[in-house]
Amino acid sequence: MDKHTRAEPVPEDAAGELKQYGDFAKILLYNRGIKTSEAAEKFLNPDYERDVYDPFLILNMDKAVERIIRATETEEKIVIYGDYDCDGIPGSVVLHDFFKKIGYKNFSNYIPHRHKEGYGLNNGAIEKFAKDGVSLIITVDLAIANVEEVAYAENLGINVIVTDHHLPQEKIPQAYAVINSKQAGDTYPDNMLCGAGVAFKLVQALLKKKGKEWEVPEGWEKWLLDMAGLSTIADMVPLVNENRAIAYYGLKVMRKSPRAGFVKLLRKMRVEQSSLTEDDVAFMIAPRINAASRMDIPIEAFRLLSTTDETLADELSDHLHNLNDTRKGLVSSMIKEARKHVEERGIKDVIVIGNPNWKPGVIGLIAGKLVEEYGRPAFVWGREDSEHIKGSCRSDGTVNLVELMVAVEEGFFLNIGGHEFSGGFSVSHEKIHFLEEELLKAHKKVKKVTALPSGEMIDCALTIDDVTEANYKTIERLAPYGVGNPKPAFLFSGAEIKEVSKFGKEKNHLKLIFENSKGVKISAIGFFMDAGDYKMGVEAGAKINLIATIELSLFMRRPEIRLRIIDIV
């Protein structure tokens, strides 16, 4: 139990405020920081008009809108330059769909190749745009760190509108307009939007300004919430404030979305579109969108989400589905190699590991796994066919990665960028040998914070009798779950196992059967779990302490309220 945190009891004042929602909901709400009836009402009943803010409250939004409108009026050539992940790609689709809707044809979408071009704007692409007569670049989910590249574009006569959500560094690009609510001087009510969320705000502002003239029906932009919501969930931004509304309504639109590629991909994965959940987005859809850049050509994922051609949608959904399977096998072997190397060399304050043969597109997954296993910041690098060494990093929660990389001797990195907890970097071949040494020195200099407790927060103790449809419906009211709104986890003490079995092609998943007081069987499943992994006997007749969530399974279209195992303690 020591690695799991028990929630505090609901104090009397909050209990009084929340009593109208029932005892169970009261606990869940309080554990998510909701202490008043007003806050609960807002949280439980998202409202688009109330919860989605005026886009013109974002710094520089009016300037960006004015420039784009001018470009459309004078038929300028526009490039939408989006990042290659499951934030930049859906965000690029948002702007693509907007220009299509207003009938503007002189634009194109560009997604850089992860291995050949790297993250962010690059001068090679900018030179090509200049030769092609491009006069405006709109970025999606990138460029807040591309000071030199933006200056290069502007010098070539190309205006740049930066839309991004990553942490600004000391210097801000001297672009025509920078839309990023994390920059100094921006007072927007929610500075935690994802990249596609920022792109959505830009479209919202454009339509607010000129939607009637373009003859776009009022409220049409809500159809773009499928892409903004997809990224909001996939990019793991906090699902509170405006993000909650975007994710909530985004799921509603995704369940009805007519997008050919999206629908085909769901069918390939055997996911029921009408009952799509945030888990389907995070664990099924996002990995397949990301597989395009990790393993192949990222523009393929953009084409999948933006095409109206049924045949192309079928081909691309098949391609991405297969790419993801290949990616899983590759990552599994790389993690084994990384784990062996770390344990042979000993665990240091910062884990630094890499291999010139490793594919840069998947190393972020390796870094995340190492942080999870060893509780240290991890920097993982690869090269494959790249000109330079490229890496990804993840934080254990004790250090800000951008601050850590900035603290390294100036000029050591060729390029850095990212969030507080995840980032990317590139270094020369000569300097890679000194990366660990430099990061360990920088780690001693930067500010540290206490990491959040590992393991799940347990909302409350329940019994098998509490695994009911009524309680599931209460849990469902607080969805979508994610960062800032964790899925409720419960402790089932002394639960007696009736049956134990394994399932899946490789029999590598665990299934336990319990019975409630009425003799009704309740199943509990754990993916990639084995009964032998636990010290206590996980066998029929044994009584265990189970930590699990309550979920609705629609496997084979048979609804079943069941448990998803987190841990057996």
Side-chain angles (χ1 to χ4, degrees):
M1 288 294 292
D2 55 340
K3 66 178 179 178
H4 299 283
T5 310
R6 290 290 294 268
E8 296 292 325
V10 182
E12 281 186 28
D13 56 342
E17 282 276 332
L18 303 173
K19 66 182 179 183
Q20 72 196 79
Y21 301 103
D23 290 341
F24 188 49
K26 175 175 67 181
I27 292 167
L28 302 185
L29 288 165
Y30 180 77
N31 290 348
R32 279 147 195 79
I34 297 161
K35 301 173 183 178
T36 67
S37 56
E38 183 184 358
E41 189 60 26
K42 185 176 179 182
F43 191 84
L44 292 171
N45 300 295
D47 179 274
Y48 184 83
E49 303 304 329
R50 179 194 66 202
D51 300 337
V52 174
Y53 302 119
D54 179 352
F56 285 102
L57 295 175
I58 298 177
L59 185 67
N60 300 324
M61 184 62 84
D62 52 349
K63 194 177 180 187
V65 165
E66 166 270 318
R67 181 67 185 88
I68 293 168
I69 290 172
R70 178 153 48 93
T72 62
E73 288 171 345
T74 54
E75 290 286 320
E76 292 181 55
K77 201 165 193 176
I78 301 170
V79 166
I80 301 160
Y81 192 112
D83 190 19
Y84 44 61
D85 68 1
C86 197
D87 188 6
I89 288 172
S92 296
V93 175
V94 166
L95 286 172
H96 166 275
D97 287 6
F98 159 74
F99 283 117
K100 287 278 187 185
K101 186 67 180 175
I102 66 169
Y104 192 74
K105 295 177 181 177
N106 200 16
F107 81 97
S108 61
N109 281 85
Y110 189 86
I111 311 285
H113 194 286
R114 188 172 199 144
H115 314 317
K116 295 174 184 174
E117 297 175 87
Y119 174 74
L121 281 174
N122 69 83
N123 287 347
I126 292 167
E127 286 169 10
K128 182 177 178 297
F129 299 153
K131 286 177 187 172
D132 290 347
V134 172
S135 56
L136 178 63
I137 295 171
I138 307 169
T139 77
V140 180
D141 191 37
L142 53 76
I144 195 64
N146 291 134
V147 175
E148 292 175 11
E149 291 81 1
V150 168
Y152 186 62
E154 293 281 349
N155 286 338
L156 289 177
I158 304 175
N159 285 157
V160 181
I161 293 172
V162 172
T163 80
D164 201 351
H165 74 122
H166 293 93
L167 285 169
Q169 296 174 31
E170 195 173 332
K171 288 183 181 176
I172 299 287
Q174 294 300 299
Y176 187 89
V178 174
I179 311 293
N180 182 335
S181 294
K182 291 186 175 76
Q183 67 180 311
D186 196 308
T187 57
Y188 190 66
D190 191 343
N191 69 353
M192 295 304 290
L193 298 177
C194 69
V198 179
F200 176 77
K201 299 307 294 187
L202 176 58
V203 169
Q204 204 185 8
L206 284 159
L207 292 176
K208 191 171 182 179
K209 188 81 172 179
K210 208 180 175 186
K212 283 182 181 175
E213 280 184 61
W214 284 321
E215 297 182 345
V216 177
E218 190 174 347
W220 171 83
E221 78 279 358
K222 293 176 187 176
W223 282 107
L224 302 176
L225 283 166
D226 59 348
M227 294 294 99
L230 170 60
S231 293
T232 298
I233 293 166
D235 210 48
M236 298 181 70
V237 291
L239 297 188
V240 295
N241 205 350
E242 186 170 20
N243 280 335
R244 176 164 172 79
I246 291 173
Y248 178 87
Y249 285 102
L251 279 168
K252 284 184 177 295
V253 178
M254 278 185 256
R255 289 170 189 147
K256 297 177 181 177
S257 178
R259 292 183 190 278
F262 186 76
V263 172
K264 297 274 188 185
L265 188 61
L266 292 178
R267 285 179 190 162
K268 288 278 188 307
M269 301 183 300
R270 297 182 182 177
V271 171
E272 190 68 44
Q273 183 173 3
S274 61
S275 53
L276 189 76
T277 69
E278 65 271 30
D279 282 351
D280 295 323
V281 171
F283 302 118
M284 300 289 282
I285 300 169
R288 285 160 178 81
I289 301 302
N290 283 325
S293 69
R294 294 188 190 283
M295 305 293 292
D296 195 44
I297 304 167
I299 197 73
E300 301 291 89
F302 168 80
R303 291 172 69 210
L304 173 80
L305 295 175
S306 60
T307 188
T308 54
D309 184 313
E310 294 283 337
T311 304
L312 180 61
D314 207 38
E315 290 171 6
L316 289 172
S317 60
D318 222 6
H319 179 55
L320 262 64
H321 192 60
N322 294 334
L323 271 183
N324 192 56
D325 286 342
T326 306
R327 188 268 311 164
K328 284 193 273 190
L330 180 64
V331 168
S332 179
S333 63
M334 288 169 65
I335 286 171
K336 283 180 187 173
E337 185 184 340
R339 193 184 287 127
K340 182 182 176 187
H341 187 77
V342 169
E343 289 175 3
E344 281 176 355
R345 297 187 63 227
I347 302 164
K348 301 179 181 173
D349 287 340
V350 181
I351 294 171
V352 181
I353 188 171
N355 184 321
N357 298 319
W358 283 358
K359 194 179 270 289
V362 297
I363 54 181
L365 302 172
I366 313 302
K369 188 68 177 173
L370 294 175
V371 170
E372 186 183 308
E373 291 191 13
Y374 300 107
R376 299 285 192 281
F379 284 70
V380 182
W381 56 268
R383 182 173 67 88
E384 205 182 41
D385 300 324
S386 306
E387 183 185 351
H388 301 298
I389 299 290
K390 292 177 181 174
S392 285
C393 48
R394 301 290 183 270
S395 176
D396 61 342
T398 64
V399 291
N400 180 317
L401 289 173
V402 175
E403 289 179 6
L404 179 59
M405 290 189 281
V406 168
V408 168
E409 182 184 346
E410 191 174 350
F412 183 86
F413 288 110
L414 295 171
N415 196 10
I416 63 170
H419 307 270
E420 187 176 353
F421 298 119
S422 73
F425 60 92
S426 60
V427 292
S428 66
H429 300 290
E430 297 76 26
K431 290 188 175 176
I432 191 60
H433 306 291
F434 307 103
L435 180 61
E436 180 179 80
E437 180 186 335
E438 291 298 322
L439 284 168
L440 288 170
K441 282 196 291 188
H443 187 264
K444 289 177 181 174
K445 293 188 281 186
V446 297
K447 181 179 72 180
K448 318 288 190 311
V449 296
T450 303
L452 295 171
S454 61
E456 298 283 329
M457 181 185 80
I458 299 168
D459 280 85
C460 62
L462 295 179
T463 69
I464 297 299
D465 279 358
D466 295 316
V467 184
T468 64
E469 186 178 354
N471 280 340
Y472 171 73
K473 284 184 174 176
T474 297
I475 292 166
E476 193 180 28
R477 283 197 73 193
L478 278 73
Y481 291 104
V483 176
N485 181 29
K487 188 173 286 189
F490 309 103
L491 172 65
F492 298 85
S493 297
E496 184 178 344
I497 302 171
K498 295 296 180 182
E499 298 171 32
V500 178
S501 60
K502 295 178 180 180
F503 68 99
K505 283 183 184 176
E506 298 175 22
K507 301 293 181 187
N508 54 352
H509 308 311
L510 178 65
K511 183 174 184 178
L512 306 178
I513 299 291
F514 302 92
E515 277 184 12
N516 65 19
S517 60
K518 294 178 180 176
V520 176
K521 289 185 175 182
I522 303 292
S523 62
I525 63 159
F527 291 111
F528 303 103
M529 285 185 173
D530 191 291
D533 292 343
Y534 300 96
K535 291 177 185 176
M536 66 292 297
V538 178
E539 58 194 11
K543 290 187 176 182
I544 60 169
N545 295 326
L546 181 74
I547 297 173
T549 60
I550 299 174
E551 66 180 17
L552 172 66
S553 167
L554 293 169
F555 182 65
M556 301 294 286
R557 298 193 175 182
R558 288 197 299 265
E560 178 198 10
I561 305 296
R562 70 182 182 190
L563 297 173
R564 175 73 69 91
I565 303 167
I566 295 169
D567 202 358
I568 299 171
V569 293

